[in-house]
Amino acid sequence: MILAAFRSLLYTLLQLIITPPYAIFTLACYPLPPHYRYQVTYGWTRIMLFLLRVICGLRYRVIGAENIPDRPSIILSKHQSAWETLALQQIFPPQVWVLKKELLRIPFFGWGLAMTNPIAIDRSSGKAALQQIVEQGRDRLKQNFWIVIFPEGTRVSPGQTVKYRIGGAWLAVHTGALVVPVAHNAGEFWAKNSFIKYAGTITVSIGKPINPAGMEPGELNERVQAWIESEVARISRFGKKKPVGQFGSITNEPIEDTEK
């Protein structure tokens, strides 16, 4: 626990040192085309994942990499931690996120987010938000970007589940884009609202793509939730083995396709 706290502190200090100048550099790249800007912002992500690996001992493995389609699709992912907002960028092709407009106001981090061409919506606007997702989502897909959506809408602790929001399924049905469900157990190593990052190997499982043709948004949403939640239960050790400290003692068998 003490070692994990020290490592987490060192990681955070380096993040605070690196992020402001990198954000300023990113803003200077605004005139570049969207895909070039993405590569610049992704550079910060690569640095953070490297620091997590070498300082905090936090790695990951991927199951089902062969399920990644060869065309831009919609990623609907489990949301347990801040970790997946970084790692999905390394696992999948160039992508944009559907996110709350308020996040773009966060100094440095939000400015960098704005440079990634996100789909920023006002969740309080109801059906208008769904229309925003479809209009902007169709545009991003045409630009050859993938779209990442966390249908739970917020980070959810391991062992818990909430009803999935329909926005991702709605976008898929109205654009015809494939849906790629993603499950993982990152919250067992870097928990929601936790400063501590425990060493170990996160398991990411990518499901077979779902064609939304002929499906209603509600039906698609239920299918995605059923697969993700059952897969999270399968790969998770939460509740199966009492961890030391919090989740730091958890180890997983080598069932990966790739590991980083």
Side-chain angles (χ1 to χ4, degrees):
M1 178 68 175
I2 295 176
L3 180 58
F6 174 76
R7 288 174 169 178
S8 299
L9 177 60
L10 180 57
Y11 168 81
T12 301
L13 288 175
L14 289 173
Q15 185 181 56
L16 291 173
I17 293 170
I18 294 169
T19 299
Y22 202 102
I24 294 172
F25 168 67
T26 300
L27 290 174
C29 297
Y30 178 76
L32 297 175
H35 275 272
Y36 286 93
R37 294 203 309 263
Y38 177 84
Q39 291 304 322
V40 172
T41 58
Y42 173 49
W44 178 87
T45 300
R46 288 197 296 265
I47 294 171
M48 294 303 111
L49 287 171
F50 172 78
L51 293 177
L52 283 171
R53 185 173 71 250
V54 300
I55 294 176
C56 300
L58 189 55
R59 299 174 176 270
Y60 70 90
R61 59 168 62 102
V62 178
I63 307 169
E66 71 279 2
N67 291 326
I68 300 177
D70 58 1
R71 63 182 187 271
S73 304
I74 299 168
I75 301 165
L76 297 186
S77 173
K78 184 69 178 175
H79 199 17
Q80 289 186 345
S81 170
W83 177 85
E84 57 268 19
T85 64
L86 302 173
L88 291 179
Q89 297 176 58
Q90 194 164 73
I91 296 170
F92 289 94
Q95 59 205 240
V96 300
W97 299 344
V98 174
L99 47 79
K100 298 179 293 185
K101 283 185 176 180
E102 305 91 90
L103 292 177
L104 304 182
R105 304 190 189 108
I106 300 174
F108 301 115
F109 177 75
W111 303 344
L113 273 181
M115 296 291 287
T116 64
N117 209 24
I119 300 173
I121 62 170
D122 179 4
R123 285 183 177 172
S124 64
S125 59
K127 287 188 176 181
L130 293 177
Q131 186 60 33
Q132 292 171 26
I133 291 175
V134 172
E135 291 177 357
Q136 297 181 53
R138 185 177 286 116
D139 175 70
R140 303 304 189 274
L141 290 167
K142 287 180 180 178
Q143 293 181 42
N144 208 35
F145 280 108
W146 289 54
I147 298 174
V148 176
I149 300 177
F150 299 110
E152 289 160 303
T154 187
R155 287 170 291 176
V156 178
S157 299
Q160 298 181 356
T161 185
V162 298
K163 182 176 176 58
Y164 284 25
R165 297 172 183 266
I166 204 167
W170 187 276
L171 175 61
V173 168
H174 285 80
T175 61
L178 295 176
V179 169
V180 181
V182 176
H184 61 82
N185 62 341
E188 299 177 0
F189 301 88
W190 183 356
K192 173 184 177 181
N193 299 326
S194 176
F195 170 77
I196 305 295
K197 300 149 188 72
Y198 293 94
T201 302
I202 294 167
T203 298
V204 180
S205 182
I206 302 171
K208 293 182 178 180
I210 302 171
N211 190 332
M215 300 179 70
E216 294 294 325
E219 176 188 1
L220 176 57
N221 201 42
E222 290 176 3
R223 180 172 171 180
V224 168
Q225 179 165 5
W227 186 87
I228 290 177
E229 293 303 322
S230 63
E231 186 67 2
V232 168
R234 188 183 75 84
I235 64 177
S236 176
R237 295 300 180 87
F238 184 76
K240 296 180 181 178
K241 181 178 181 180
K242 185 177 180 181
V244 175
Q246 187 177 3
F247 302 114
S249 68
I250 298 174
T251 57
N252 296 310
E253 287 91 352
I255 56 176
E256 73 279 6
D257 291 324
T258 59
E259 182 174 340
K260 296 184 180 180

